[in-house]
Amino acid sequence: LGEGWGIWSTYINPADPLMPSVFSDVTDALTIVKDENGSVYWPMFGLNSIGSLTEGKGYQAKMSADATLVLEGDLIPFDYELNLTEGWGMMGYLHQNCYNAADMMLSVVDDLTILKDENGSVYWPMFGLNSIGDMCPGKGYQVKMTNTALFSYPTGSERFGFSDFTQVEKTVYYDKAHNTGNNMTIGLPLNAWEVMPAVGDEIAAYDESDRLIGSTSFNGEHIALTVWGDDLTTDVKDGLATGEKVTFKLWNSDMNTESTLVVTKWDAGSDNYTVDGISIASNITLSGSTSADAYK
């Protein structure tokens, strides 16, 4: 379990599934655990509204330091049936090897809006985007469904280690935004740009205090930009507050210049932050004719 926020799951069903027992080895480094309903295990206050570990579920955990969690118990079958309810939930990953996210979620793809990992990377079928790549053991995933569906993981393909997606390169101009434990996904489709970026250009998002809250590079495909909200477990504002406006910049890698991006129309959502919100731009411009002409 790494320091900071992560989404955790296990394919082991421990003999004692009560949360204090499950996390007993790492209690000193554990800040809080949350389930998909917002219930918590909060050692500082002796609170456990989650109760026991549920087979096949994912849990969000915040650690104050890296720690190793060792569990012993019965193996949960990889094809254990999960009930994915309409709306948002957290699912565990039950295979013992990594496999491609698109392959794993194929049976429910018609009802799947989006799948997110702890870093805000996504599998977004609408846009054919898979920045998650492979789902891996020990990780949990947020999932949004349009309908409730029974789901079980398929047998792992023979493509072990092969990821059927376009890699998004790390940004070189903009820093990486801090993972605050909650985020929003902003879709920037190719057909929304009035002036198309070049491969290698970078997009950054800022809050109203000009704090960097998201960044990504352009690889010639649709963009899913993750922007991070405020972590309410800290004493300082370190991300977007609910309802706060997001602003955008674009760095031109050839000319080493910045322009301000303006989304003039949205197909879904808006530039106001909501936890787990999904916004899709339909028209993206560069602010000011001078900036646009220079970029062209």
Side-chain angles (χ1 to χ4, degrees):
L1 299 175
E3 181 179 356
W5 284 100
I7 305 177
W8 169 89
S9 74
T10 177
Y11 49 78
I12 297 293
N13 184 22
D16 184 355
L18 283 171
M19 300 304 281
S21 175
V22 170
F23 287 95
S24 60
D25 290 344
V26 297
T27 300
D28 290 345
L30 177 66
T31 301
I32 196 169
V33 179
K34 297 194 294 185
D35 69 8
E36 61 188 8
N37 301 310
S39 298
V40 300
Y41 169 49
W42 204 346
M44 177 187 293
F45 298 105
L47 285 173
N48 180 21
S49 56
I50 294 176
S52 299
L53 200 67
T54 300
E55 293 179 345
K57 289 294 184 183
Y59 297 88
Q60 197 173 21
K62 185 177 183 182
M63 304 291 293
S64 60
D66 293 348
T68 300
L69 178 64
V70 178
L71 291 179
E72 295 182 0
D74 297 326
L75 190 68
I76 302 172
F78 75 85
D79 55 357
Y80 181 83
E81 192 169 68
L82 307 179
N83 184 36
L84 302 182
T85 56
E86 181 181 352
W88 281 103
M90 278 192 282
M91 62 190 297
Y93 180 70
L94 301 180
H95 273 292
Q96 297 181 61
N97 292 317
C98 297
Y99 292 114
N100 184 271
D103 293 343
M104 292 293 99
M105 302 304 296
L106 184 61
S107 65
V108 292
V109 71
D110 291 341
D111 296 315
L112 175 66
T113 300
I114 200 167
L115 183 78
K116 295 197 297 185
D117 70 9
E118 62 191 8
N119 301 310
S121 298
V122 301
Y123 168 48
W124 202 349
M126 175 187 293
F127 294 110
L129 276 173
N130 180 14
S131 57
I132 292 175
D134 291 343
M135 302 175 76
C136 287
K139 298 297 183 182
Y141 299 86
Q142 286 181 277
V143 57
K144 186 175 186 183
M145 303 287 291
T146 56
N147 296 293
T148 297
L150 292 175
F151 169 80
S152 57
Y153 288 102
T155 303
S157 70
E158 297 302 319
R159 303 188 306 160
F160 175 68
F162 177 82
S163 296
D164 194 13
F165 73 107
T166 302
Q167 179 68 42
V168 178
E169 298 295 332
K170 292 182 178 179
T171 53
V172 295
Y173 183 76
Y174 294 115
D175 291 334
K176 181 180 178 181
H178 178 59
N179 182 338
T180 61
N182 70 91
N183 59 60
M184 172 179 171
T185 305
I186 297 177
L188 305 175
L190 288 175
N191 60 6
W193 295 87
E194 286 194 357
V195 180
M196 185 69 68
V199 172
D201 289 358
E202 297 179 6
I203 296 92
Y206 295 85
D207 67 9
E208 293 176 4
S209 302
D210 289 328
R211 177 187 291 103
L212 181 76
I213 41 84
S215 63
T216 189
S217 61
F218 180 66
N219 63 1
E221 304 293 336
H222 302 301
I223 291 173
L225 175 62
T226 300
V227 296
W228 294 93
D230 187 29
D231 183 352
L232 298 179
T233 68
T234 64
D235 296 330
V236 297
K237 183 178 181 297
D238 41 21
L240 291 155
T242 299
E244 188 172 357
K245 186 179 177 67
V246 183
T247 57
F248 308 95
K249 290 183 180 179
L250 182 139
W251 174 66
N252 182 310
S253 56
D254 287 335
M255 298 189 290
N256 191 26
T257 57
E258 273 190 304
S259 300
T260 298
L261 289 186
V262 179
V263 179
T264 59
K265 187 178 179 182
W266 296 90
D267 272 341
S270 70
D271 53 4
N272 295 318
Y273 182 76
T274 58
V275 176
D276 291 328
I278 299 174
S279 293
I280 302 171
S282 62
N283 187 257
I284 307 168
T285 66
L286 298 175
S287 67
S289 57
T290 302
S291 295
D293 290 342
Y295 193 79
K296 288 178 182 178

